[in-house]
C-alpha cells in the first residue's frame, strides 16, 4: 500500500519559515520524481516545486529564491524548506510521487501565513 504522509505545516507570521516533510512508503522511492503542490481555497492546485530521481529541481516563479526542495532517498523523504513566507503562500500543500505510469498523492498539510 502506497502512503505519502506530509507534516510540518502550521501557522507562521509573514517573513517566517517552515519546513515541510513528506515520508513515502510502499514505493521504490529513489526512482520516483517527487513534487510539492499547493491549493488555496477557491483556486486550482498548482505546482510549487519538483525534484527528479536524479536530483534536478524545478520551481514555480512565485517561490524561486524562497523555497528549496530536497530529497533523502535513505529516509524515503522529500522536504520543502520555505523561507520569507508571504500571506499568498497560504494553502494546503500536497506531496506527489510520480513515474511514467503512476501518480500518488498525500493528504496534504495546511500552511497559513498570517500576522
Amino acid at each position: 500500500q502506497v502512503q505519502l504522509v506530509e507534516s510540518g505545516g502550521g501557522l507562521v507570521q509573514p517573513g517566517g519559515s517552515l519546513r515541510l516533510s513528506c515520508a513515502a512508503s510502499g514505493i521504490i522511492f529513489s526512482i520516483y520524481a517527487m513534487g510539492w503542490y499547493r491549493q488555496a481555497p477557491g483556486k486550482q492546485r498548482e505546482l510549487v516545486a519538483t525534484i527528479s530521481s536524479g536530483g534536478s529541481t524545478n520551481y514555480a516563479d512565485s517561490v524561486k529564491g524562497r523555497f528549496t526542495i530536497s530529497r533523502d532517498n535513505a529516509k524515503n523523504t522529500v522536504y520543502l524548506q520555505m523561507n520569507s513566507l508571504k500571506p499568498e503562500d497560504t494553502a494546503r500543500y500536497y506531496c506527489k510521487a510520480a513515474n511514467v505510469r503512476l501518480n500518488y498523492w498525500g493528504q496534504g498539510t495546511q500552511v497559513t501565513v498570517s500576522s
Side-chain angles (χ1 to χ4, degrees):
Q1 181 181 0
V2 178
Q3 280 193 313
L4 300 177
V5 180
E6 301 96 335
S7 61
L11 173 64
V12 63
Q13 292 187 343
S17 297
L18 283 175
R19 188 195 196 203
L20 306 184
S21 299
C22 171
S25 59
I27 59 172
I28 304 173
F29 180 81
S30 61
I31 68 171
Y32 278 76
M34 300 298 297
W36 287 97
Y37 293 73
R38 67 187 181 187
Q39 188 167 17
K43 295 187 177 181
Q44 289 190 328
R45 191 172 297 188
E46 63 177 2
L47 179 147
V48 175
T50 62
I51 184 166
S52 70
S53 57
S56 297
T57 58
N58 180 56
Y59 296 93
D61 287 344
S62 59
V63 307
K64 281 181 181 176
R66 300 189 297 123
F67 291 10
T68 302
I69 188 170
S70 61
R71 64 190 297 159
D72 186 336
N73 289 341
K75 295 182 178 180
N76 287 1
T77 300
V78 62
Y79 304 97
L80 186 68
Q81 178 66 44
M82 305 187 295
N83 298 328
S84 302
L85 282 160
K86 304 175 181 180
E88 51 263 43
D89 295 317
T90 294
R92 191 162 186 86
Y93 283 70
Y94 297 88
C95 173
K96 177 184 173 181
N99 67 15
V100 292
R101 292 185 299 135
L102 297 170
N103 293 328
Y104 300 103
W105 291 91
Q107 293 300 306
T109 185
Q110 179 67 34
V111 172
T112 302
V113 185
S114 175
S115 55

